[in-house]
Amino acid sequence: MMRGGTSKGAYFLASDLPQDAAARDALLLSVMGSPDPRQIDGIGGADPLTSKVAIVERSARPGIDVDYLFAQVFVDEARVGYAQNCGNILAGVGYFAIEQGLVPAGDPVTHVTIYMSNSGQTAVAEIATPGGKPSYRGEAHIDGVPGSAAPVPLSFTDAAGSTCGALLPTGNAVDEVAGTKVTLIDNGMPVVVMLASDMGISGEETREELDANSELKARLEKIRLAAGPLMNLGDVTEKTIPKMTMVSAPRHGGCDSPRTFIPHRCHATIGVFGAISVATACLLPDSPAAGVAVIPEGATKKLAVEHPTGALDVLMEIDEGGSPPEIKRAAFLRTARKLFVGSVFPHEDG
């Protein structure tokens, strides 16, 4: 069990899980204690952010160290989703790979090249390994997590269109879906971006207030179901994507202030890849988000995406000569912490 970024999850070697997909999902549901709102009979934390799984194995792909499959275990449904990545859980994969002997440790850092099986992307994680041993101690701080830890820089160059086939699957910076102007975008995570004001909210509401707004949630779901086919995702009724993000102006010196549903509960912070997609939408001159965003000058931009507990910094290198601008590289900083190592028992063996 590890904290990765602002999420928490169980990390497994692929060889320790059933190879049959149905049997694997049944085991993960049992391990997490789903379906149950409290996940009282498992190790899940009764929240989508703490009901996550990383499945890791040594890679046979040239130039790749490990393959990482992310699984979102639903809390109150008997479902496991694989339609998305998780950049927060990704932060722990390099540590896990080194500690499990899948990757030899260097000194003072080890670069772990990770193939994200959910989307076919490749990420490079920089792991602190002074003296050839993983270290979680450091001075890096990320909003949403108390204290500090060793920094885990994560970078990639192939995020655009990783799930939908194109950065803008419709070819447009703005579309009208179910009567609302939106940007349908995929720069690591399929996201529907719209103005908070167009959805009847200010963007300053608490997570609990937004979760309790049944009218808002019904409208978001109507837009999401209509957006799925437009984003080359097909029928998304049973999928966790696209994420639904409502953007308002920044309040603390950042780029923008989004509130995200993932997809039916409001996110306590914001997902890493979701933040990258939203920040990219802010760079598109005709997008709804551009009208409220504050964008710094220069080809390399540090975009602080504000969320309910702070901000997530996204570093983007772009070529502004194209239309839309070409995203050459995206990077972000996370931290991770090993919480425990041991045996977890599925229900039938408990």
Side-chain angles (χ1 to χ4, degrees):
M1 179 76 77
M2 299 185 74
R3 175 191 60 77
T6 54
S7 294
K8 184 164 59 176
Y11 290 66
F12 291 94
L13 290 171
S15 57
D16 288 339
L17 295 176
Q19 296 304 299
D20 176 75
R24 180 187 64 201
D25 289 357
L27 185 145
L28 295 180
L29 287 165
S30 178
V31 162
M32 285 295 175
S34 298
D36 173 49
R38 294 189 298 157
Q39 292 184 316
I40 195 65
D41 203 31
I43 64 172
D47 190 290
L49 302 184
T50 57
S51 187
K52 298 184 173 187
V53 170
I55 302 170
V56 184
E57 61 185 329
R58 185 179 281 112
S59 182
R61 306 171 195 275
I64 305 294
D65 293 314
V66 294
D67 294 347
Y68 151 56
L69 178 66
F70 170 69
Q72 177 69 64
V73 181
F74 284 65
V75 174
D76 51 4
E77 298 180 51
R79 279 204 289 145
V80 182
Y82 297 94
Q84 65 183 76
N85 290 314
C86 179
N88 280 305
I89 293 298
L90 172 66
V93 170
Y95 276 114
F96 178 79
I98 294 169
E99 295 212 13
Q100 292 296 319
L102 303 180
V103 177
D107 180 19
V109 299
T110 302
H111 290 89
V112 182
T113 305
I114 303 164
Y115 179 80
M116 293 179 282
S117 301
N118 302 75
S119 65
Q121 293 171 254
T122 299
V124 177
E126 185 177 309
I127 305 299
T129 50
K133 296 182 179 180
S135 174
Y136 297 88
R137 296 180 179 273
E139 300 304 316
H141 171 80
I142 61 173
D143 289 334
V145 177
S148 62
V152 182
L154 295 153
S155 61
F156 49 93
T157 58
D158 58 353
S162 56
T163 301
C164 299
L167 177 69
L168 299 171
T170 67
N172 305 318
V174 58
D175 290 284
E176 186 167 314
V177 179
T180 301
K181 290 184 178 180
V182 302
T183 298
L184 308 178
I185 191 165
D186 172 19
N187 198 13
M189 177 67 69
V191 179
V192 180
V193 183
M194 67 215 84
L195 290 176
S197 57
D198 285 346
M199 299 302 291
I201 67 170
S202 68
E204 296 188 60
E205 293 83 357
T206 66
R207 181 192 193 190
E208 292 73 21
E209 287 173 328
L210 294 176
D211 269 334
N213 190 335
S214 57
E215 182 178 345
L216 171 67
K217 292 169 73 172
R219 187 175 172 193
L220 283 172
E221 184 64 359
K222 183 178 180 181
I223 296 171
R224 193 179 79 88
L225 294 177
L230 298 176
M231 300 181 74
N232 302 318
L233 299 172
D235 183 357
V236 297
T237 304
E238 301 297 322
K239 296 180 180 179
T240 58
I241 53 175
K243 308 302 185 188
M244 307 298 292
T245 297
M246 300 168 287
V247 177
S248 57
R251 295 166 180 84
H252 305 288
C255 165
D256 64 343
S257 180
R259 293 295 182 269
T260 298
F261 276 75
I262 54 171
H264 303 128
R265 293 182 66 178
C266 187
H267 204 305
T269 55
I270 190 170
V272 170
F273 289 111
I276 292 172
S277 288
V278 172
T280 306
C282 292
L283 299 175
L284 306 177
D286 297 327
S287 72
V292 296
V294 177
I295 305 298
E297 297 293 331
T300 299
K301 302 182 185 295
K302 182 180 179 181
L303 304 173
V305 179
E306 298 178 0
H307 56 73
T309 60
L312 192 157
D313 289 337
V314 176
L315 185 66
M316 303 188 75
E317 295 179 11
I318 68 171
D319 180 355
E320 296 183 288
S323 182
E326 179 188 356
I327 310 302
K328 300 173 67 175
R329 176 177 173 270
F332 51 88
L333 179 71
R334 298 279 83 188
T335 65
R337 180 185 171 207
K338 180 171 64 175
L339 302 177
F340 69 80
V341 177
S343 300
V344 63
F345 299 93
H347 187 266
E348 58 269 20
D349 296 331

